[in-house]
Every structure is written in C-alpha cells, then in structure tokens.
Amino acid sequence: MKSLKQIINRYIRSAAIVMALVILVVIAFAKILIEQGRVEDTAAGTFVRLEQIIEENENN
C-alpha cells in the first residue's frame, strides 16, 4: 500500500505537468495571435504603399 506522502507527491507531479502543458499551450496561442496581427499590419501597409505607387504611375 502506498503511503499518503507518495500519493500526494504523485498528485502534485501530475498537477504540475498538466499546469505546465496548459501554460505552454496558452503561450503558443498568444504568440500565434500576436504574429497574425503583425502580419495583417504589414500586409495593410504594403497595400497602402502599392496603392500610392499605382496612383503616382497613373499621374505620370
């Protein structure tokens, strides 16, 4: 029969592993969202610049 200390230690280890995995998933999700926003901003800026270049070319 396992002692109470062994049971508690096993439970704490399991809980720590689950918490670490949850934290890693949250961090990865946050990084994906941040990078997606950065890409959208870059694309929007690129399209604005392209529009300006097209307008300049049409004027010339």
Side-chain angles (χ1 to χ4, degrees):
M1 185 168 178
K2 294 182 181 178
S3 70
L4 183 59
K5 182 178 179 180
Q6 290 174 329
I7 294 170
I8 291 172
N9 281 340
R10 185 173 182 185
Y11 176 76
I12 289 173
R13 270 189 256 129
S14 298
I17 290 171
V18 169
M19 286 173 44
L21 289 174
V22 168
I23 289 170
L24 287 174
V25 168
V26 169
I27 289 171
F29 186 68
K31 285 187 171 267
I32 288 170
L33 289 177
I34 290 169
E35 190 61 30
Q36 185 178 10
R38 195 174 299 155
V39 167
E40 289 174 0
D41 290 343
T42 302
T46 301
F47 285 123
V48 167
R49 277 185 255 134
L50 284 172
E51 186 178 344
Q52 291 171 349
I53 291 171
I54 290 171
E55 287 176 5
E56 288 177 10
N57 287 343
E58 287 176 352
N59 291 337
N60 292 336

